[in-house]
Amino acid sequence: MDKILIRKLQVDAIIGIHDYEKQQKQPVWLDMDLSFDCLPAAQSDDIRDALDYFKVCERVSHFVASTRYELIEALAEAVTEVVLNEFACEQIELTLYKPNAVANTETVGIQINRWKQ
C-alpha cells in the first residue's frame, strides 16, 4: 500500500491536565502516514483520484484547534477517527507531539496506528 506523508503539521490546541494548560492554547505537532492506493491518481493526474493532503491538513487543523482534551492519547485517537471516517485512506499512523509538555525535552508524544473498520 502506498502512503501519503504529512510531517510536523502544527496546530494550537487546548491540551493538558494542568489548570494553566486549560487556559491557553499551546502547539501540538502531527505526523501522519496515510495508507492509500496512489496508482489511480498517478495514472489520471487528477486530484479527484488522489487523497487530497491539503484537505486532510485543513480538516485536522480545524478539528484539533476547536477541541479540548486532557490527554494526548485521547486527542490522537480522535484525530485518527476523523481521518478514517472522512477520507479514503485505509490506515493511519499518527504521531502527535506536545513540544511544551516537559522541560528539558524537545518534545514528548504518542504514536498510534489505526485501520478502517
Side-chain angles (χ1 to χ4, degrees):
M1 182 67 57
D2 307 315
K3 289 185 180 182
I4 302 294
L5 306 176
I6 299 169
R7 295 291 178 261
K8 297 294 185 276
L9 175 64
Q10 182 174 323
V11 184
D12 291 332
I14 299 291
I15 180 81
I17 61 170
H18 303 290
D19 287 339
Y20 67 88
E21 293 178 302
K22 296 175 183 181
Q23 304 303 316
Q24 184 172 337
K25 289 187 174 191
Q26 59 182 301
V28 294
W29 303 332
L30 299 102
D31 289 348
M32 293 178 271
D33 292 12
L34 308 173
S35 296
F36 177 77
D37 182 4
C38 295
L39 185 58
Q43 292 174 332
S44 70
D45 197 25
D46 189 329
I47 190 65
R48 292 175 294 188
D49 295 326
L51 179 57
D52 189 336
Y53 51 80
F54 180 83
K55 288 183 179 178
V56 172
C57 290
E58 190 174 59
R59 177 65 177 110
V60 168
S61 295
H62 176 74
F63 176 80
V64 172
S66 65
T67 59
R68 293 175 168 259
Y69 286 93
E70 291 194 357
L71 300 178
I72 61 174
E73 293 87 346
L75 178 56
E77 189 68 34
V79 169
T80 63
E81 289 175 13
V82 167
V83 172
L84 290 173
N85 289 332
E86 297 182 21
F87 296 94
C89 69
E90 295 301 316
Q91 177 183 359
I92 178 172
E93 179 178 295
L94 173 75
T95 306
L96 189 146
Y97 302 96
K98 188 176 168 189
N100 297 336
V102 178
N104 301 322
T105 66
E106 179 181 6
T107 189
V108 297
I110 185 171
Q111 185 174 73
I112 62 173
N113 288 287
R114 298 294 181 263
W115 294 262
K116 193 163 274 188
Q117 298 293 332

